[in-house]
Amino acid sequence: MKLTAIISLLGIVLLGSTAAVLAQEKSCSFDLVGTWKAQLSPNEAILYRFDSKNTVTVLSAQENGEPQQIATAKYEVVNELGKPDSVVFTASGKNRIFGAVRKTMKLVSYDDTSITCAIPDSGTVRWTRVDPDRYFIVLAARKGEFYDKTGSAFPMVIKLAGAVPTIDAFGVYGGKDGRTFGTVPADVYKNYLREARNESETTLRLEINSRQYERALKVIKEWERRDREGALLYKTATETLDDATWLNNILVAKKVTETLNQCSADVNMYPLNYVHQDDWISNTVNSAFVPFYYFQELRKRNEARHIPDQKFQELVHLPNLASR
Amino acid sequence: MDRRSMLSRVFKPSPYSQGAAKFTNAVLRTQDNKEVRFYDDLIKGKQCVVNLMYAECHGACPLVTTVLKRTYRDLKDRMGKDVFFYSISVKPQDDTPEALKHYAEMRNVDLPGWYFLTGDTYDIETIRYRLFNMGHIGVDIDFAMHSGTFRIINDATNYWGHAQAFASQENILQRIAWADPYKTPAEWDVYARNLQAKIDKDVKKYGYRRGF
């Protein structure tokens, strides 16, 4: 009896440690491709344009005027123990890079929008990502739309290139045949971009960065594929009487939102982890309403960053909507 | 019964099996880098035990593998013929076939009828939910919650069961036996005699029937 208890305890501890190791595996992917800016003074900055062919172009940018090319170089990201550790530059044009033909830049830290690096003879500098486009996420949910008092609930991710928005949305919505789980069509999601009007509606609109957008979009695309291929994670009603549609929709809402903080704690997140002490929603609310209360809780926690109606309409001009 | 009809009996799926629609027919790779289809090649008409693991796991996985190794020894005569073990990596992005081969060799479990499988993250996630989901997101979201469970399947009889890795060896074997192909009356007779002989032995030695 004692031995059984000890073995069971050991099993629980080991399973717990496996879970703990997995929980720590939040990590930023390091992607240098794109434009990075080092601000030298209020009026002067250096731009580093990294392309996918391992070439970097260095430009000097003054406040008023076109950026001027200073140097070009080949670059290589060096990994140590499977993680990016440094970047080696080899000047390829007439000019040197960081005052030398070959220079190694040590990565101190990085996240979605910045890199802090140590350059020999130059000290520690911080680069910030320059993105010509803007990105948003909208979390919208309603109650009382369908016969069973449930309603639509889905995340939308928006890329604003110039004045043209591209929107992707996936979740539960009211389709032609009633409640539908899948890719939300444009004529439906248009009505959910606006501000919530009463207690049975909730909307959160946040500006995010390009990496957050790409991660959230990847989740949406994965679920579009699951829907298309009949590979939804939950297929049938379960023993807990939860409809598979709602469980799938919770997974979509959870996965899309949690990608936002994959690299750093940018959004004030609600822990939708089903742990009684942390998560009142999943422990007290029918699965059908979990996304609604989850989005509502996120709205409360990120009220200061929520984009008001008028500003959002100025930014995301729907008549310009790009077709998917 | 000749060998040909024996084989067709063993690997013929139940008419009630949901087939690839349930299990998926995802393309996976074995530790020998052989491409296999999950339903057609691994599940269809077969009796198998499936568990989740990953090569760099230092928590429960090595212990669970040890339990399976012991179970393999007990089922040695049937392994690779009518019973199969499938250890599926839940970190397919890290676990190449070579990494799984190394894991299996290090633990002396690179054995006939025991396949270590990796594949696309999307497919593995689908298989994980199809085989191990408990209908509760709090449990299902974290694969570690399933790492101590064996899914036991016999597609020939449409059997679907499970065993806990940290249960007694007898319990695990009993649960795998529940998935055995249908027995003929003669086979049932032998089974009943053997069971009674075991009970008699237990009673003689301990004074009561042990097990489960």
Side-chain angles (χ1 to χ4, degrees):
Chain A
M1 184 69 186
K2 231 179 201 177
L3 185 67
T4 313
I6 291 167
I7 292 170
S8 304
L9 194 64
L10 184 68
I12 290 164
V13 169
L14 286 169
L15 288 175
S17 65
T18 311
V21 168
L22 288 171
Q24 288 164 11
E25 282 185 357
K26 264 189 177 181
S27 62
C28 285
S29 62
F30 182 70
D31 185 9
L32 208 47
V33 175
T35 303
W36 298 86
K37 183 165 81 170
Q39 196 73 45
L40 303 179
S41 70
N43 305 326
E44 193 185 2
I46 300 286
L47 298 176
Y48 299 89
R49 276 192 195 146
F50 290 86
D51 70 16
S52 54
K53 292 174 182 168
N54 286 64
T55 303
V56 56
T57 307
V58 187
L59 304 126
S60 166
Q62 304 291 335
E63 195 179 13
N64 304 312
E66 282 291 301
Q68 301 293 316
Q69 185 174 317
I70 303 172
T72 58
K74 286 282 176 192
Y75 73 91
E76 187 191 355
V77 178
V78 179
N79 290 321
E80 286 276 333
L81 299 170
K83 287 180 180 172
D85 175 71
S86 55
V87 184
V88 178
F89 294 94
T90 310
S92 55
K94 288 178 191 170
N95 295 334
R96 294 175 168 205
I97 185 155
F98 305 124
V101 175
R102 191 179 162 87
K103 201 85 163 183
T104 299
M105 176 180 97
K106 184 92 177 160
L107 295 169
V108 178
S109 64
Y110 56 86
D111 58 26
D112 281 335
T113 55
S114 70
I115 297 174
T116 303
C117 42
I119 304 168
D121 308 325
S122 304
T124 302
V125 291
R126 186 169 180 271
W127 294 356
T128 52
R129 188 181 280 281
V130 179
D131 206 316
D133 305 324
R134 297 181 75 172
Y135 305 90
F136 304 91
I137 186 163
V138 180
L139 306 174
R142 305 280 187 266
K143 285 197 293 187
E145 281 184 332
F146 308 138
Y147 71 93
D148 54 1
K149 296 192 169 29
T150 61
S152 305
F154 53 86
M156 293 171 259
V157 288
I158 304 170
K159 179 180 182 178
L160 195 61
V164 182
T166 307
I167 303 180
D168 290 270
F170 190 95
V172 169
Y173 67 97
K176 284 173 191 164
D177 304 321
R179 193 181 77 198
T180 308
F181 179 68
T183 303
V184 185
D187 60 335
V188 174
Y189 68 60
K190 276 177 181 174
N191 301 320
Y192 292 81
L193 289 164
R194 63 165 174 75
E195 189 59 271
R197 288 174 183 160
N198 54 50
E199 284 185 354
S200 65
E201 300 182 355
T202 183
T203 307
L204 172 64
R205 294 181 295 231
L206 298 175
E207 180 154 14
I208 54 177
N209 62 53
S210 59
R211 303 289 126 175
Q212 289 172 314
Y213 168 81
E214 279 160 20
R215 288 195 296 263
L217 181 64
K218 192 178 166 195
V219 174
I220 288 177
K221 291 293 171 195
E222 183 193 306
W223 278 89
E224 285 181 353
R225 183 181 164 197
R226 290 196 178 284
D227 187 33
R228 214 170 38 242
E229 296 179 353
L232 296 176
L233 294 181
Y234 289 103
K235 282 204 86 171
T236 50
T238 64
E239 288 168 16
T240 51
L241 303 178
D242 284 316
D243 187 307
T245 299
W246 296 117
L247 294 180
N248 284 319
N249 205 37
I250 294 169
L251 285 179
V252 173
K254 180 174 165 62
K255 289 188 174 191
V256 165
T257 51
E258 287 179 354
T259 60
L260 300 176
N261 278 8
Q262 193 174 309
C263 205
S264 56
D266 179 51
V267 176
N268 187 347
M269 203 57 78
Y270 170 85
L272 188 65
N273 58 13
Y274 287 73
V275 174
H276 184 72
Q277 294 90 330
D278 301 340
D279 177 9
W280 69 267
I281 297 173
S282 67
N283 281 289
T284 55
V285 170
N286 170 349
S287 291
F289 297 100
V290 166
F292 177 90
Y293 287 105
Y294 179 51
F295 290 170
Q296 194 177 60
E297 191 69 36
L298 290 176
R299 166 72 191 261
K300 280 183 205 162
R301 290 169 179 237
N302 296 278
E303 189 67 49
R305 280 183 61 184
H306 174 70
I307 305 169
D309 243 352
Q310 196 183 343
K311 192 180 171 195
F312 189 76
Q313 281 165 18
E314 286 166 13
L315 286 167
V316 182
H317 196 50
L318 286 180
N320 292 347
L321 199 62
S323 61
R324 265 288 190 210
Chain B
M1 187 179 287
D2 63 16
R3 190 169 177 273
R4 192 183 174 85
S5 57
M6 172 76 177
L7 284 175
S8 64
R9 179 178 74 85
V10 172
F11 298 119
K12 194 175 165 191
S14 158
Y16 303 106
S17 167
Q18 292 175 60
K22 179 180 177 71
F23 294 101
T24 86
N25 224 348
V27 176
L28 303 178
R29 288 197 167 270
T30 68
Q31 72 268 37
D32 294 312
N33 203 17
K34 189 183 160 204
E35 205 172 274
V36 285
R37 290 200 163 270
F38 190 60
Y39 180 73
D40 286 352
D41 298 331
L42 302 179
I43 303 288
K44 192 174 180 180
K46 293 188 176 82
Q47 183 174 349
C48 56
V49 178
V50 187
N51 78 302
L52 303 173
M53 48 72 72
Y54 62 95
E56 287 300 314
C57 166
H58 300 294
C61 316
L63 281 181
V64 174
T65 301
T66 305
V67 171
L68 274 178
K69 187 178 171 182
R70 203 165 55 214
T71 310
Y72 187 100
R73 266 203 309 265
D74 290 336
L75 297 171
K76 199 175 175 188
D77 295 341
R78 298 175 63 193
M79 288 304 305
K81 294 168 192 155
D82 65 350
V83 179
F84 299 83
F85 286 178
Y86 305 133
S87 295
I88 302 176
S89 167
V90 284
K91 286 200 174 179
Q93 67 278 21
D94 298 334
D95 287 345
T96 59
E98 296 76 37
L100 293 177
K101 182 84 175 172
H102 180 70
Y103 178 90
E105 284 177 346
M106 288 290 284
R107 288 160 181 82
N108 296 320
V109 290
D110 190 13
L111 300 165
W114 189 341
Y115 297 104
F116 288 83
L117 300 160
T118 186
D120 186 71
T121 311
Y122 170 91
D123 292 325
I124 299 274
E125 183 84 334
T126 312
I127 291 170
R128 182 168 82 80
Y129 271 79
R130 292 293 161 81
L131 264 57
F132 289 91
N133 100 63
M134 308 278 284
H136 187 292
I137 289 176
V139 176
D140 298 334
I141 197 89
D142 181 1
F143 105 87
M145 303 295 265
H146 302 136
S147 61
T149 304
F150 301 137
R151 172 61 67 200
I152 301 165
I153 298 162
N154 189 341
D155 191 54
T157 56
N158 202 29
Y159 179 87
W160 179 260
H162 79 279
Q164 293 303 327
F166 297 111
S168 70
Q169 188 64 11
E170 203 166 16
N171 180 289
I172 293 168
L173 289 171
Q174 178 69 73
R175 284 169 177 271
I176 294 172
W178 287 343
D180 282 350
Y182 299 127
K183 292 179 176 65
T184 61
E187 285 170 335
W188 271 117
D189 189 43
V190 172
Y191 174 80
R193 281 168 196 273
N194 287 342
L195 182 62
Q196 189 58 53
K198 185 197 164 296
I199 293 168
D200 292 345
K201 196 175 155 190
D202 283 353
V203 170
K204 193 174 174 188
K205 191 171 179 184
Y206 304 105
Y208 59 94
R209 180 188 176 180
R210 295 182 84 216
F212 309 109

